[in-house]
Amino acid sequence: MARKITYQQAINEALDQEMARDPSVIVMGEDNAGGEGSPGEMDAWGGVLGVTKGLYHKHPGRVLDTPISESGFIGAAIGAACNGLRPVAELMFVDFMGVCFDQIFNQAAKFKYMFGGKAETPVVIRTMYGAGFRAAAQHSQCLYSLFTHIPGLKVAIPSNPYDAKGLLIQSIRDNDPVIFMEHKVLYTMEGDVPEESYSVPFGEAAVVREGDDVTIVALGRMVSFAQDAAQALQKNGIHCEIIDPRTTSPLDEDTILESVEKTGRLVVVDESNPRCSMASDIAGLVAQKAFGALKAPIEQVTAPHVPPPFSDALEDLYIPNAAKIESAVSKIREYG
Amino acid sequence: MVKSGGITVGVIANPASGRDIRRLTAKASVFSMSEKANMVQRLLGPLGTFAVDRVLMMPDATGIAAAVLRAVQANEAQGRTVWPRVEFVTQELVGGAVDSQTAARLMQDAGAKLIVVLGGDGTHRVVAAAVPDMPLATLSTGTNNVFPDWREATVTGIATALYVTGSVGADIALQRNKRLCVQLGERTETALVDVCVTRLTHVGARAIWEPDTIAELYVAFAEPDAIGLSSIAAMFQLIARDEPRGAYLRCAPNGRQVLAAIAPGVLERIVVDHFENMVPGVTYPVRTKRGSIALDGEREIEFHHGQVPQISLMLNGPPTLNVTATLAAAVNSGVMVDPVVRSVVR
Amino acid sequence: MSDTLNRERLLRAYRTMRTIREFEERVHTEFATGDIPGFVHLYAGEEASATGVCMHLRGDDYIASTHRGHGHCIAKGVDPVGMMAEIWGKSTGSCKGKGGSMHIADLSKGMLGANGIVGGGGPLICGTALAAKMKNDKTVGVCFFGDGASNQGTILEAMNLATVWSLPAIFVAENNGYAETTSSSWSVACDNIADRASAFGMPGVIVDGFDFFAVHEAAGEAVRRAREGGGPTLIEVKVSRYYGHFEGDQQTYRAAGEVQKLRDEKDCLLQFRRRVTADGDITDAELGTIDAEVLALIDDSVVRAKADPKPGPDDLLTDVYVSY
Ligand SMILES: Cc1ncc(C[n+]2csc(CCOP(=O)(O)OP(=O)(O)O)c2C)c(N)n1
Ligand SMILES: [Mg+2]
């Protein structure tokens, strides 16, 4: 039975159901149990924005607070995954990957290949990304392309509550390390989510909207902006097809290529900085594999090549929006 | 806490360590909480073996109590030695010296025959002030102390047990100490070793390490091999712990110089222009007009123009356990050969 | 004798602490109106720490700060007017509105920045101290960090490095009992952060962070040692924050009445006032004048911050080495 819940509730529910189903699933992160050693209430926070709140009392002993030692506890989650647990570790803001990246990309990502296929590392690293909170340069970045670059990691980027729940359940059941990217602005987004447990498979893009004129590939929070743009463009008779890859590793190339074969035009919308981004990666893919179908140059709508600024006046300019997507679409429509 | 807990010993391990700025200004040793917890464990073995029934401890928030509890469980699990029953007195912790004082009073009420104090001069001073007639076994935690014994806890544990179980009497096991009393208006404070009047107007970081800040010094005893301010007096005259006199001296630029080890690693030139013996019971008014007063090396009291602190030497300081004399007496009386001890029933 | 606290210095200390308090109390009330964007972490309650340490510093000494950085900035001489504008995201702000509360910096004042990354400042201060040592300019570097940060690898690596290179660095651990909701008595595995110093071959000492005089004296020794080439020191300042981790925090993890008790019994400003006026050298009236001047300054900073212009579109792409 589906009912409306938020993206944040959907994540909490996925964790709750998986913890109930599988005793090897544990949750850890800064303030995830929320108040370890403090005189007041336990479960006071449930992570900085309350995503894990409530799990502490429901699953005694399996929701752990950690000291602020990301290298230590993210690495420990990886080690525990090697030894039979399925840890879901929370890296509060993805920007903090800077202090623990070795454990992720030199350790977790490499084990299976480097050890000749003999290792399995079923760890999930949940992390919050994205601009919009006026949280400035060290709390607003959009770093999924860095993880996508590393062989051995899987990367999920849910754009709505339904996918958030299904992709997280899939991530926990997956036997490889998964980076699960949660956009902080989406936490309050509501959507239909089934009560029962289900999973969304990796490497299967969602065709969010069908159309014949232009393909828009959008990620995470950008999907809803693409929908707004498509809605507006529809009025001018432009029919956009919107594709949400949902996971960037693995990436569902076929769905993207098939759509471009049909429309001949591509706009990629990515909240991250433009160089070495998912936008440039997908543009490259299409240029290489669907060159013959292209009727116009590919457009990329991204943040500019600067760190996220603090001031609302600047941050609003920084984040891609529906208007920018519309003008990108219009531009390549005019191109013959 | 019941009185009928059998033969009971209190243990107070000062949790407030590390505040001694001499770690920074001098080369004072660092004494960790884990080491204090280890010392308590080294006490428990001999206490249990020599038939002490119960140990009362102060709870603390810094981990000594927790470490001891873990050790008690581990000891029971391994079943190698008999430890006394370890109980914690029930008190609300407020932080600071008051906690040690509350614990000491509760231990006294619960029938403790002696309290083992692990700490520096300051901890011994506050415990002695709270339970003035309670025998104390003193253990120094750190190199920076004069009053407590600098001794292995295991041995102190043996002597403690011999005294509290009655194998060695109080006349031999205990010695009386002197104390210095500071009166400022309504406020009365005690020091066990020395009272230093400094020119520093604020209590600040408490310790004293710069010689030109010292104005006046009062000592209950003076041993030249001691560390700290009392050693200044000892350079002029030795005063034993059991002699009925103390010393008063004043610093001024035109006096006689001595070199004294006023803190670990700090050997300083001190210029003294007046030295006299203190007579017990006589009140000595402080001459300095304004400054702060250090009790056993730590500035505790600020005083201002118009206030005249009064210092006096008293002979009724705390009774302390003389470990050497106790063990010697036990040996001489033959109880150390084929001793009656408790051992684990396997 | 280490820096004596004469009248002039006592008044200066009071003014700094009062400015920090007034600034923070004001940001607290303004935040509640919804006007201030982003994450804001207030330093109220901890004023004696920044002030007691920074009183010993020269303009060209460096400090590295934390997400809770307003107090460090003010104590190091950063202009509160520019800071307030920065917090409001205005182009007149210390960082032109690009950094915000968590990133206020003023290199001209030796303030290397508040920091959004917990533990980020430790290595940086080793760097400024290394430069100071190589230039032999007798400057020092101070790294402020929290109890939470004390568990971060960067801080531990930095302390080791500081001793290995014998750097003129001072590590000031501001232990306010919590990292977000998590108690430091739980997260710091040894009893005191200061105890870790010996493992890094440097002296470590604990001071009462409500007591300006205690902080001032300990810091004075540490700074002197560092300047004279004696190497690094770790000072653990035991303090408390009066407000939540950040603005909006309900603080249910704290004990009821915890903050009120501290405000009533230990507050650094009240304690300072009581102690310096006891001798009549400094009068209540003099301190009252400072209070009024500080209030006027902070009022003015808020009025200006509200009225000042926001950055414009052109500012988005400036100040980066390469932009597209
Ligand atoms: C590397 C990193 N991890 C986590 C955070 C999130 N965070 C910000 S402040 C904070 C708590 C810091 O505690 P502490 O160091 O004690 O400083 P306090 O907030 O008490 O001043 C945390 C976990 C961060 N900003 N950076
Ligand atoms: Mg803290």
Side-chain angles (χ1 to χ4, degrees):
Chain A
M1 245 272 295
R3 73 280 188 242
K4 280 207 186 321
I5 58 172
T6 64
Y7 186 87
Q8 170 164 344
Q9 286 165 334
I11 293 166
N12 183 285
E13 190 167 281
L15 291 169
D16 188 19
Q17 290 179 353
E18 283 303 285
M19 290 183 90
R21 186 189 63 82
D22 179 353
S24 67
V25 178
I26 62 164
V27 162
M28 66 166 85
E30 286 155 24
D31 308 282
N32 275 15
E36 194 65 75
S38 299
E41 181 191 23
M42 262 321 263
D43 198 32
W45 271 20
V48 69
L49 297 187
V51 176
T52 58
K53 194 166 166 61
L55 300 177
Y56 174 82
H57 291 298
K58 283 193 203 164
H59 306 283
R62 289 162 65 198
V63 179
L64 310 183
D65 270 345
T66 68
I68 309 178
S69 311
E70 284 87 358
S71 261
F73 77 82
I74 295 285
I78 293 163
C82 297
N83 191 14
L85 295 186
R86 289 186 178 270
V88 182
E90 180 182 280
L91 178 60
M92 190 182 297
F93 290 84
V94 72
D95 314 68
F96 309 159
M97 69 183 274
V99 290
C100 60
F101 202 32
D102 177 74
Q103 294 291 320
I104 299 172
F105 92 102
N106 270 327
Q107 312 300 333
K110 301 292 192 283
F111 288 166
K112 188 162 189 169
Y113 187 85
M114 198 165 70
F115 300 159
K118 288 182 199 141
E120 270 181 351
T121 316
V123 67
V124 182
I125 298 169
R126 293 181 38 244
T127 184
M128 181 163 47
Y129 75 100
F133 263 38
R134 322 301 185 204
Q138 296 173 343
H139 285 73
S140 306
Q141 298 170 88
C142 202
L143 303 174
Y144 37 66
S145 60
L146 295 182
F147 297 106
T148 309
H149 182 73
I150 310 293
L153 298 178
K154 292 180 176 171
V155 184
I157 313 175
S159 67
N160 60 67
Y162 178 90
D163 286 350
K165 178 169 172 181
L167 285 171
L168 183 52
I169 289 175
Q170 178 60 38
S171 303
I172 294 171
R173 296 180 185 176
D174 199 284
N175 282 340
D176 295 320
V178 179
I179 313 295
F180 189 82
M181 308 280 306
E182 302 169 9
H183 200 297
K184 52 176 92 64
V185 173
L186 292 182
Y187 278 138
T188 51
M189 176 192 208
E190 291 203 334
D192 287 334
V193 177
E195 267 172 44
E196 59 277 8
S197 177
Y198 62 94
S199 67
V200 170
F202 284 179
E204 281 187 22
V207 180
V208 176
R209 180 188 179 107
E210 292 188 30
D212 293 331
D213 297 331
V214 176
T215 299
I216 303 176
V217 176
L219 290 151
R221 186 185 180 205
M222 299 298 110
V223 173
S224 58
F225 292 167
Q227 283 172 298
D228 294 345
Q231 197 78 36
L233 290 160
Q234 172 100 17
K235 296 194 188 99
N236 307 337
I238 303 173
H239 303 286
C240 298
E241 178 145 303
I242 301 177
I243 293 172
D244 172 3
R246 302 200 285 198
T247 56
T248 55
S249 186
L251 179 69
D252 180 356
E253 299 186 1
D254 292 347
T255 301
I256 297 170
L257 294 171
E258 276 162 28
S259 176
V260 176
E261 297 285 353
K262 176 173 72 175
T263 62
R265 291 181 170 83
L266 175 65
V267 174
V268 197
V269 192
D270 178 359
E271 188 186 316
S272 61
N273 305 114
R275 291 291 180 268
C276 300
S277 61
M278 283 316 299
S280 61
D281 183 75
I282 290 169
L285 170 81
V286 168
Q288 186 190 358
K289 297 195 176 168
F291 185 69
L294 284 173
K295 298 177 199 156
I298 299 166
E299 272 293 310
Q300 302 178 33
V301 180
T302 66
H305 188 66
V306 300
F310 165 67
S311 180
D312 50 348
L314 298 180
E315 195 186 35
D316 290 343
L317 294 172
Y318 173 89
I319 305 170
N321 56 28
K324 287 180 188 164
I325 300 170
E326 278 176 55
S327 59
V329 169
S330 306
K331 189 168 155 198
I332 56 172
R333 272 280 296 177
E334 282 157 21
Y335 199 91
Chain B
M1 198 64 40
V2 284
K3 250 196 145 125
S4 57
I7 298 175
T8 300
V9 168
V11 174
I12 294 180
N14 173 27
S17 82
R19 284 174 198 271
D20 188 343
I21 197 186
R22 277 164 287 204
R23 281 185 181 188
L24 165 53
T25 57
K27 294 280 174 265
S29 59
V30 174
F31 215 91
S32 70
M33 297 295 158
S34 349
E35 183 48 25
K36 286 182 193 169
N38 286 341
M39 282 172 77
V40 175
Q41 292 171 53
R42 303 205 295 265
L43 277 169
L44 289 174
L47 292 181
T49 304
F50 283 95
V52 170
D53 297 304
R54 180 172 68 150
V55 160
L56 291 177
M57 282 198 64
M58 179 172 89
D60 67 89
T62 59
I64 302 177
V68 170
L69 264 182
R70 280 195 299 275
V72 166
Q73 283 159 6
N75 185 63
E76 274 165 19
Q78 295 174 57
R80 287 174 185 276
T81 41
V82 188
W83 282 4
R85 215 164 56 251
V86 177
E87 293 174 13
F88 290 86
V89 291
T90 320
Q91 67 183 103
E92 195 193 324
L93 296 174
V94 295
V98 186
D99 287 341
S100 299
Q101 298 195 308
T102 310
R105 287 193 197 98
L106 289 169
M107 289 169 185
Q108 178 164 285
D109 295 347
K113 292 194 165 181
L114 173 150
I115 296 177
V116 186
V117 181
L118 282 68
D121 291 336
T123 313
H124 287 84
R125 173 167 60 78
V126 299
V127 171
V131 287
D133 296 317
M134 170 66 75
L136 307 178
T138 67
L139 278 172
S140 173
T141 51
T143 57
N144 199 23
N145 305 306
V146 181
F147 186 78
D149 275 3
W150 182 237
R151 185 187 293 283
E152 169 47 38
T154 317
V155 178
T156 299
I158 301 171
T160 298
L162 290 170
Y163 164 66
V164 297
T165 56
S167 297
V168 178
D171 51 333
I172 294 170
L174 301 184
Q175 65 190 46
R176 257 298 167 190
N177 294 276
K178 289 171 276 187
R179 65 190 178 96
L180 289 158
C181 177
V182 181
Q183 190 82 38
L184 180 65
E186 300 284 273
R187 185 171 177 187
T188 311
E189 298 278 356
T190 302
L192 298 176
V193 184
D194 52 39
V195 170
C196 178
V197 179
T198 85
R199 299 191 178 91
L200 297 165
T201 46
H202 299 285
V203 163
R206 297 182 183 268
I208 294 163
W209 63 94
E210 287 160 323
D212 37 345
T213 61
I214 302 172
E216 301 170 57
L217 182 67
Y218 302 80
V219 302
F221 58 91
E223 298 167 340
D225 56 345
I227 188 74
L229 301 171
S230 69
S231 71
I232 300 172
M235 296 302 138
F236 291 95
Q237 192 180 79
L238 308 193
I239 301 173
R241 293 189 190 221
D242 56 0
E243 262 179 277
R245 60 181 177 136
Y248 164 64
L249 50 86
R250 243 184 346 256
C251 297
N254 298 321
R256 285 182 298 157
Q257 267 188 21
V258 291
L259 271 174
I262 59 170
V266 182
L267 185 61
E268 285 284 358
R269 223 172 279 282
I270 316 281
V271 189
V272 175
D273 84 334
H274 177 84
F275 182 101
E276 71 179 79
N277 280 122
M278 284 182 87
V279 180
V282 172
T283 299
Y284 294 77
V286 164
R287 306 241 181 147
T288 310
K289 295 288 170 253
R290 173 187 184 182
S292 53
I293 294 179
L295 307 172
D296 298 331
E298 302 213 342
R299 278 173 282 157
E300 294 284 347
I301 306 169
E302 294 173 2
F303 66 98
H304 310 293
H305 286 290
Q307 294 181 305
V308 183
Q310 313 273 341
I311 320 288
S312 44
L313 177 72
M314 317 289 256
L315 299 180
N316 61 350
T320 51
L321 182 71
N322 185 334
V323 173
T324 311
T326 305
L327 282 166
V331 168
N332 290 338
S333 67
V335 296
M336 301 310 279
V337 178
D338 297 332
V340 186
V341 295
R342 284 183 187 164
S343 54
V344 181
V345 189
R346 294 217 183 230
Chain C
M1 213 189 289
S2 52
D3 284 334
T4 32
L5 284 166
N6 56 22
R7 251 179 70 81
E8 183 267 326
R9 286 175 64 78
L10 286 172
L11 290 172
R12 185 147 69 83
Y14 182 78
R15 184 181 296 274
T16 305
M17 292 199 289
R18 174 53 72 192
T19 308
I20 299 171
R21 176 67 57 83
E22 200 66 49
F23 190 96
E24 297 297 62
E25 296 281 7
R26 194 54 181 276
V27 171
H28 176 72
T29 42
E30 294 292 337
F31 191 92
T33 68
D35 266 6
I36 296 180
F39 293 126
V40 176
H41 308 80
L42 299 181
Y43 193 73
E46 308 187 17
E47 293 84 353
S49 174
T51 309
V53 172
C54 292
M55 290 269 298
H56 297 285
L57 301 183
R58 314 190 324 211
D60 52 356
D61 289 326
Y62 272 102
I63 67 166
S65 170
T66 70
H67 55 287
R68 200 175 299 292
H70 304 167
H72 307 137
C73 289
I74 291 174
K76 193 68 179 52
V78 180
D79 174 25
V81 175
M83 288 174 58
M84 196 64 92
E86 185 61 33
I87 290 170
W88 249 268
K90 299 304 178 74
S91 63
T92 49
S94 320
C95 306
K96 300 191 230 166
K98 290 181 171 179
S101 165
M102 258 192 298
H103 305 293
I104 300 176
D106 186 345
L107 282 289
S108 73
K109 294 283 196 294
M111 164 62 196
L112 202 54
N115 208 313
I117 302 300
V118 167
L124 299 177
I125 276 306
C126 285
T128 67
L130 176 65
K133 186 173 174 175
M134 297 189 113
K135 293 191 283 183
N136 194 23
D137 63 6
K138 302 284 177 229
T139 62
V140 302
V142 177
C143 170
F144 289 97
F145 61 101
D147 47 282
S150 78
N151 297 321
Q152 189 65 284
T154 47
I155 292 293
L156 304 172
E157 291 176 23
M159 287 200 273
N160 187 58
L161 191 56
T163 299
V164 168
W165 279 341
S166 190
L167 297 176
I170 297 104
F171 295 88
V172 180
E174 297 184 315
N175 185 346
N176 59 11
Y178 300 93
E180 297 189 344
T181 69
T182 305
S183 157
S184 60
S185 64
W186 178 80
S187 74
V188 178
C190 55
D191 321 294
N192 298 298
I193 297 168
D195 293 349
R196 292 181 177 169
S198 60
F200 293 112
M202 66 175 84
V205 71
I206 299 170
V207 291
D208 175 359
F210 290 99
D211 181 349
F212 164 80
F213 298 100
V215 178
H216 180 265
E217 211 167 282
E221 279 304 300
V223 171
R224 182 191 56 72
R225 240 174 78 83
R227 263 198 227 297
E228 290 173 0
T233 300
L234 170 61
I235 300 176
E236 178 177 2
V237 184
K238 301 266 195 197
V239 273
S240 188
R241 56 168 153 81
Y242 285 172
Y243 292 109
H245 169 66
F246 45 32
E247 288 305 271
D249 175 9
Q250 299 305 316
Q251 304 194 69
T252 57
Y253 50 88
R254 292 185 95 163
E258 182 182 313
V259 172
Q260 196 53 48
K261 194 166 151 61
L262 294 169
R263 276 194 188 254
D264 293 344
E265 292 171 13
K266 297 200 73 178
D267 184 73
C268 62
L269 281 154
L270 288 181
Q271 198 183 134
F272 185 93
R273 176 181 285 257
R274 186 166 37 74
R275 287 167 66 178
V276 299
T277 53
D279 211 30
D281 274 5
I282 287 176
T283 63
D284 257 326
E286 281 175 290
L287 298 181
T289 309
I290 293 179
D291 292 347
E293 287 167 4
V294 168
L295 183 62
L297 169 74
I298 301 302
D299 273 344
D300 178 53
S301 74
V302 173
V303 171
R304 290 214 244 166
K306 286 181 175 172
D308 282 347
K310 290 187 175 177
D314 293 346
D315 296 318
L316 183 64
L317 302 185
T318 58
D319 302 318
V320 69
Y321 313 106
V322 177
S323 72
Y324 308 101

